[in-house]
Structures are given as C-alpha cells and as structure tokens.
Short mmCIF file of all heavy atoms in Angstrom, two decimals:
data_model
loop_
_atom_site.label_atom_id
_atom_site.label_comp_id
_atom_site.label_asym_id
_atom_site.label_seq_id
_atom_site.Cartn_x
_atom_site.Cartn_y
_atom_site.Cartn_z
N SER A 134 -8.37 36.03 21.73
CA SER A 134 -7.75 34.70 21.83
C SER A 134 -8.75 33.62 22.26
O SER A 134 -8.58 32.49 21.95
CB SER A 134 -6.59 34.71 22.82
OG SER A 134 -7.07 35.00 24.15
N ASP A 135 -9.81 34.02 22.93
CA ASP A 135 -10.84 33.07 23.35
C ASP A 135 -11.79 32.73 22.22
O ASP A 135 -12.65 31.86 22.35
CB ASP A 135 -11.67 33.66 24.51
CG ASP A 135 -10.88 33.70 25.80
OD1 ASP A 135 -9.89 32.93 25.86
OD2 ASP A 135 -11.23 34.48 26.70
N ARG A 136 -11.65 33.43 21.10
CA ARG A 136 -12.59 33.23 20.01
C ARG A 136 -12.14 32.21 18.98
O ARG A 136 -12.72 32.07 17.90
CB ARG A 136 -12.88 34.54 19.30
CG ARG A 136 -13.39 35.62 20.25
CD ARG A 136 -13.85 36.83 19.48
NE ARG A 136 -14.20 37.91 20.38
CZ ARG A 136 -14.90 38.98 20.05
NH1 ARG A 136 -15.32 39.13 18.82
NH2 ARG A 136 -15.15 39.92 20.95
N VAL A 137 -11.05 31.51 19.29
CA VAL A 137 -10.57 30.50 18.36
C VAL A 137 -11.61 29.40 18.26
O VAL A 137 -12.04 28.84 19.27
CB VAL A 137 -9.21 29.89 18.85
CG1 VAL A 137 -8.77 28.79 17.95
CG2 VAL A 137 -8.15 30.99 18.91
N LEU A 138 -12.03 29.11 17.06
CA LEU A 138 -13.15 28.19 16.85
C LEU A 138 -12.70 26.97 16.13
O LEU A 138 -12.14 27.03 15.04
CB LEU A 138 -14.24 28.89 16.04
CG LEU A 138 -15.56 28.13 15.85
CD1 LEU A 138 -16.23 27.87 17.19
CD2 LEU A 138 -16.49 28.91 14.92
N CYS A 139 -12.87 25.78 16.76
CA CYS A 139 -12.54 24.52 16.11
C CYS A 139 -13.69 24.06 15.28
O CYS A 139 -14.84 24.15 15.69
CB CYS A 139 -12.17 23.50 17.15
SG CYS A 139 -10.68 23.89 18.09
N GLN A 140 -13.40 23.52 14.08
CA GLN A 140 -14.43 23.07 13.19
C GLN A 140 -14.38 21.54 13.09
O GLN A 140 -13.30 20.94 13.15
CB GLN A 140 -14.19 23.68 11.81
CG GLN A 140 -14.26 25.19 11.76
CD GLN A 140 -15.67 25.74 11.87
OE1 GLN A 140 -16.53 25.42 11.07
NE2 GLN A 140 -15.89 26.53 12.91
N ILE A 141 -15.53 20.94 12.94
CA ILE A 141 -15.58 19.52 12.69
C ILE A 141 -15.43 19.33 11.20
O ILE A 141 -16.11 20.00 10.36
CB ILE A 141 -16.91 18.90 13.22
CG1 ILE A 141 -16.89 17.38 13.05
CG2 ILE A 141 -18.11 19.50 12.58
CD1 ILE A 141 -18.02 16.69 13.75
N LYS A 142 -14.54 18.42 10.76
CA LYS A 142 -14.15 18.31 9.36
C LYS A 142 -14.78 17.12 8.69
O LYS A 142 -14.66 17.00 7.47
CB LYS A 142 -12.65 18.25 9.25
CG LYS A 142 -11.93 19.53 9.74
CD LYS A 142 -10.42 19.43 9.59
CE LYS A 142 -9.77 20.71 10.11
NZ LYS A 142 -8.28 20.63 9.99
N ARG A 143 -15.38 16.20 9.43
CA ARG A 143 -15.94 15.00 8.82
C ARG A 143 -17.23 14.59 9.51
O ARG A 143 -17.48 15.07 10.61
CB ARG A 143 -14.91 13.86 8.90
CG ARG A 143 -14.56 13.49 10.32
CD ARG A 143 -13.41 12.51 10.39
NE ARG A 143 -13.09 12.21 11.79
CZ ARG A 143 -12.04 11.48 12.15
NH1 ARG A 143 -11.25 10.97 11.20
NH2 ARG A 143 -11.81 11.24 13.43
N TYR A 144 -17.98 13.79 8.84
CA TYR A 144 -19.23 13.33 9.46
C TYR A 144 -18.90 12.44 10.64
O TYR A 144 -17.99 11.59 10.54
CB TYR A 144 -20.05 12.50 8.41
CG TYR A 144 -21.50 12.37 8.79
CD1 TYR A 144 -22.39 13.33 8.43
CD2 TYR A 144 -21.95 11.26 9.51
CE1 TYR A 144 -23.77 13.22 8.76
CE2 TYR A 144 -23.27 11.16 9.88
CZ TYR A 144 -24.16 12.12 9.48
OH TYR A 144 -25.48 12.01 9.86
N PRO A 145 -19.60 12.57 11.77
CA PRO A 145 -19.24 11.85 12.98
C PRO A 145 -19.67 10.38 12.97
O PRO A 145 -20.43 9.91 13.85
CB PRO A 145 -19.96 12.64 14.09
CG PRO A 145 -21.17 13.20 13.41
CD PRO A 145 -20.71 13.54 12.00
N TRP A 146 -19.15 9.64 11.98
CA TRP A 146 -19.51 8.23 11.87
C TRP A 146 -19.04 7.41 13.08
O TRP A 146 -19.72 6.53 13.57
CB TRP A 146 -18.93 7.65 10.59
CG TRP A 146 -19.57 8.08 9.33
CD1 TRP A 146 -19.05 8.88 8.36
CD2 TRP A 146 -20.94 7.83 8.92
NE1 TRP A 146 -19.97 9.11 7.37
CE2 TRP A 146 -21.16 8.48 7.68
CE3 TRP A 146 -22.02 7.12 9.47
CZ2 TRP A 146 -22.34 8.41 6.99
CZ3 TRP A 146 -23.19 7.05 8.82
CH2 TRP A 146 -23.36 7.67 7.57
N ARG A 147 -17.83 7.71 13.51
CA ARG A 147 -17.24 6.93 14.63
C ARG A 147 -18.08 7.05 15.89
O ARG A 147 -18.47 6.02 16.52
CB ARG A 147 -15.82 7.39 14.87
CG ARG A 147 -15.07 6.51 15.88
CD ARG A 147 -13.71 7.12 16.18
NE ARG A 147 -12.98 6.37 17.16
CZ ARG A 147 -12.05 6.91 17.98
NH1 ARG A 147 -11.76 8.21 17.86
NH2 ARG A 147 -11.41 6.20 18.85
N PRO A 148 -18.43 8.28 16.35
CA PRO A 148 -19.31 8.37 17.52
C PRO A 148 -20.67 7.75 17.27
O PRO A 148 -21.26 7.16 18.19
CB PRO A 148 -19.42 9.90 17.76
CG PRO A 148 -18.22 10.46 17.14
CD PRO A 148 -17.94 9.59 15.96
N LEU A 149 -21.20 7.84 16.08
CA LEU A 149 -22.51 7.26 15.76
C LEU A 149 -22.46 5.73 15.91
O LEU A 149 -23.34 5.14 16.51
CB LEU A 149 -22.95 7.61 14.34
CG LEU A 149 -24.29 7.04 13.86
CD1 LEU A 149 -25.42 7.45 14.83
CD2 LEU A 149 -24.61 7.47 12.45
N LEU A 150 -21.40 5.11 15.39
CA LEU A 150 -21.24 3.67 15.55
C LEU A 150 -21.05 3.33 17.02
O LEU A 150 -21.53 2.30 17.50
CB LEU A 150 -20.06 3.17 14.73
CG LEU A 150 -20.20 3.23 13.21
CD1 LEU A 150 -18.92 2.86 12.50
CD2 LEU A 150 -21.34 2.30 12.77
N GLY A 151 -20.33 4.22 17.75
CA GLY A 151 -20.18 3.98 19.18
C GLY A 151 -21.51 4.00 19.91
O GLY A 151 -21.75 3.17 20.81
N GLU A 152 -22.38 4.91 19.55
CA GLU A 152 -23.69 5.00 20.20
C GLU A 152 -24.58 3.79 19.81
O GLU A 152 -25.41 3.36 20.60
CB GLU A 152 -24.44 6.29 19.86
CG GLU A 152 -23.69 7.55 20.31
CD GLU A 152 -23.49 7.64 21.82
OE1 GLU A 152 -23.92 6.74 22.58
OE2 GLU A 152 -22.89 8.63 22.25
N LEU A 153 -24.36 3.24 18.62
CA LEU A 153 -25.05 2.00 18.26
C LEU A 153 -24.65 0.89 19.22
O LEU A 153 -25.50 0.10 19.68
CB LEU A 153 -24.69 1.59 16.82
CG LEU A 153 -25.48 2.24 15.69
CD1 LEU A 153 -24.85 1.95 14.35
CD2 LEU A 153 -26.95 1.74 15.71
N GLY A 154 -23.36 0.86 19.56
CA GLY A 154 -22.90 -0.11 20.57
C GLY A 154 -23.53 0.13 21.90
O GLY A 154 -23.91 -0.81 22.59
N PHE A 155 -23.65 1.41 22.31
CA PHE A 155 -24.24 1.74 23.61
C PHE A 155 -25.69 1.29 23.70
O PHE A 155 -26.08 0.61 24.65
CB PHE A 155 -24.13 3.24 23.84
CG PHE A 155 -24.97 3.73 24.99
CD1 PHE A 155 -24.60 3.42 26.31
CD2 PHE A 155 -26.13 4.47 24.77
CE1 PHE A 155 -25.38 3.89 27.39
CE2 PHE A 155 -26.87 4.91 25.83
CZ PHE A 155 -26.50 4.64 27.14
N VAL A 156 -26.49 1.65 22.69
CA VAL A 156 -27.89 1.26 22.73
C VAL A 156 -28.02 -0.26 22.64
O VAL A 156 -28.89 -0.86 23.28
CB VAL A 156 -28.69 1.93 21.60
CG1 VAL A 156 -30.16 1.54 21.64
CG2 VAL A 156 -28.59 3.49 21.73
N GLY A 157 -27.14 -0.89 21.86
CA GLY A 157 -27.16 -2.34 21.75
C GLY A 157 -26.86 -2.98 23.09
O GLY A 157 -27.50 -4.00 23.49
N LEU A 158 -25.91 -2.45 23.83
CA LEU A 158 -25.60 -3.00 25.17
C LEU A 158 -26.76 -2.76 26.12
O LEU A 158 -27.08 -3.68 26.92
CB LEU A 158 -24.33 -2.30 25.73
CG LEU A 158 -23.01 -2.75 25.08
CD1 LEU A 158 -21.88 -1.78 25.51
CD2 LEU A 158 -22.65 -4.17 25.48
N ARG A 159 -27.38 -1.58 26.05
CA ARG A 159 -28.57 -1.36 26.94
C ARG A 159 -29.67 -2.33 26.57
O ARG A 159 -30.35 -2.85 27.48
CB ARG A 159 -29.02 0.09 26.77
CG ARG A 159 -28.07 1.17 27.24
CD ARG A 159 -27.82 1.07 28.73
NE ARG A 159 -29.02 1.15 29.54
CZ ARG A 159 -29.59 2.28 29.99
NH1 ARG A 159 -29.01 3.46 29.69
NH2 ARG A 159 -30.67 2.26 30.70
N GLY A 160 -29.89 -2.54 25.30
CA GLY A 160 -30.92 -3.48 24.89
C GLY A 160 -30.60 -4.91 25.32
O GLY A 160 -31.50 -5.68 25.71
N THR A 161 -29.34 -5.28 25.30
CA THR A 161 -28.90 -6.60 25.79
C THR A 161 -29.18 -6.75 27.29
O THR A 161 -29.64 -7.82 27.74
CB THR A 161 -27.41 -6.83 25.51
OG1 THR A 161 -27.19 -6.72 24.08
CG2 THR A 161 -26.97 -8.20 25.98
N GLY A 162 -28.95 -5.69 28.04
CA GLY A 162 -29.26 -5.71 29.47
C GLY A 162 -30.75 -5.93 29.72
O GLY A 162 -31.11 -6.71 30.59
N PHE A 163 -31.60 -5.27 28.91
CA PHE A 163 -33.03 -5.45 29.06
C PHE A 163 -33.44 -6.90 28.66
O PHE A 163 -34.26 -7.52 29.32
CB PHE A 163 -33.78 -4.44 28.17
CG PHE A 163 -35.28 -4.58 28.25
CD1 PHE A 163 -35.94 -4.24 29.37
CD2 PHE A 163 -35.98 -5.10 27.16
CE1 PHE A 163 -37.38 -4.38 29.44
CE2 PHE A 163 -37.35 -5.24 27.18
CZ PHE A 163 -38.05 -4.88 28.35
N LEU A 164 -32.87 -7.40 27.56
CA LEU A 164 -33.16 -8.75 27.12
C LEU A 164 -32.78 -9.76 28.20
O LEU A 164 -33.58 -10.68 28.47
CB LEU A 164 -32.40 -9.06 25.82
CG LEU A 164 -32.63 -10.38 25.13
CD1 LEU A 164 -32.43 -10.21 23.62
CD2 LEU A 164 -31.70 -11.48 25.61
N LEU A 165 -31.65 -9.61 28.85
CA LEU A 165 -31.20 -10.51 29.91
C LEU A 165 -32.14 -10.43 31.10
O LEU A 165 -32.42 -11.44 31.77
CB LEU A 165 -29.78 -10.19 30.33
CG LEU A 165 -28.68 -10.54 29.32
CD1 LEU A 165 -27.35 -9.95 29.76
CD2 LEU A 165 -28.57 -12.06 29.14
N THR A 166 -32.66 -9.23 31.39
CA THR A 166 -33.58 -9.04 32.48
C THR A 166 -34.87 -9.79 32.26
O THR A 166 -35.39 -10.49 33.16
CB THR A 166 -33.87 -7.57 32.70
OG1 THR A 166 -32.67 -6.83 32.88
CG2 THR A 166 -34.80 -7.36 33.91
N LEU A 167 -35.40 -9.73 31.03
CA LEU A 167 -36.61 -10.49 30.73
C LEU A 167 -36.31 -11.98 30.69
O LEU A 167 -37.15 -12.79 31.12
CB LEU A 167 -37.17 -10.00 29.35
CG LEU A 167 -38.52 -10.61 28.93
CD1 LEU A 167 -39.60 -10.29 29.98
CD2 LEU A 167 -38.93 -10.08 27.58
N LEU A 168 -35.13 -12.36 30.25
CA LEU A 168 -34.76 -13.77 30.21
C LEU A 168 -34.70 -14.37 31.58
O LEU A 168 -34.90 -15.58 31.77
CB LEU A 168 -33.41 -13.90 29.49
CG LEU A 168 -32.86 -15.34 29.30
CD1 LEU A 168 -33.78 -16.16 28.45
CD2 LEU A 168 -31.47 -15.28 28.68
N ALA A 169 -34.36 -13.58 32.57
CA ALA A 169 -34.30 -14.09 33.95
C ALA A 169 -35.69 -14.45 34.48
O ALA A 169 -35.81 -15.15 35.45
CB ALA A 169 -33.68 -13.02 34.86
N ILE A 170 -36.73 -13.95 33.83
CA ILE A 170 -38.11 -14.14 34.27
C ILE A 170 -38.83 -15.21 33.49
O ILE A 170 -39.48 -16.07 34.02
CB ILE A 170 -38.89 -12.81 34.24
CG1 ILE A 170 -38.24 -11.80 35.19
CG2 ILE A 170 -40.35 -13.01 34.60
CD1 ILE A 170 -38.81 -10.43 35.11
N ILE A 171 -38.66 -15.13 32.15
CA ILE A 171 -39.34 -16.10 31.25
C ILE A 171 -38.34 -16.56 30.21
O ILE A 171 -37.43 -15.86 29.84
CB ILE A 171 -40.58 -15.46 30.59
CG1 ILE A 171 -40.18 -14.25 29.78
CG2 ILE A 171 -41.66 -15.18 31.59
CD1 ILE A 171 -41.33 -13.67 28.93
N PRO A 172 -38.52 -17.77 29.65
CA PRO A 172 -37.66 -18.22 28.58
C PRO A 172 -37.94 -17.46 27.27
O PRO A 172 -39.07 -17.04 27.02
CB PRO A 172 -38.01 -19.71 28.41
CG PRO A 172 -39.40 -19.82 28.97
CD PRO A 172 -39.51 -18.80 30.07
N LEU A 173 -36.92 -17.22 26.46
CA LEU A 173 -37.05 -16.46 25.23
C LEU A 173 -36.54 -17.29 24.07
O LEU A 173 -35.51 -17.97 24.20
CB LEU A 173 -36.29 -15.14 25.31
CG LEU A 173 -36.75 -14.13 26.36
CD1 LEU A 173 -35.77 -12.95 26.40
CD2 LEU A 173 -38.16 -13.65 26.07
#
C-alpha cells in the first residue's frame, strides 16, 4: 500500500512561471537596494 506512485501528467508550466515571479521579485529587491545608493 505504500508503493502507490503518483505520476505527473503535464509539463510544470505553472510552477515555472511562479519561479519566474520569485526570481523577478528577488531581482527587484536588489534593484531597489542599489537605487537607495545611486540613481538609476
């Protein structure tokens, strides 16, 4: 009963787009940090 295996049925586009948002937010945080020091 522990061997029931779930399969992924589609390409993980949704999580990939979500991670694009994550890296974009991290990049925005870095951009704002540099903006606090010098004009951009």
Side-chain angles (χ1 to χ4, degrees):
S134 63
D135 288 339
R136 303 190 187 194
V137 176
L138 186 63
C139 294
Q140 300 285 302
I141 185 170
K142 297 180 180 180
R143 60 188 179 186
Y144 199 87
W146 288 113
R147 186 186 179 208
L149 179 58
L150 291 174
E152 299 298 359
L153 277 169
F155 167 71
V156 179
L158 286 168
R159 294 296 304 271
T161 300
F163 178 71
L164 185 150
L165 289 170
T166 304
L167 186 58
L168 181 62
I170 298 174
I171 58 173
L173 297 174

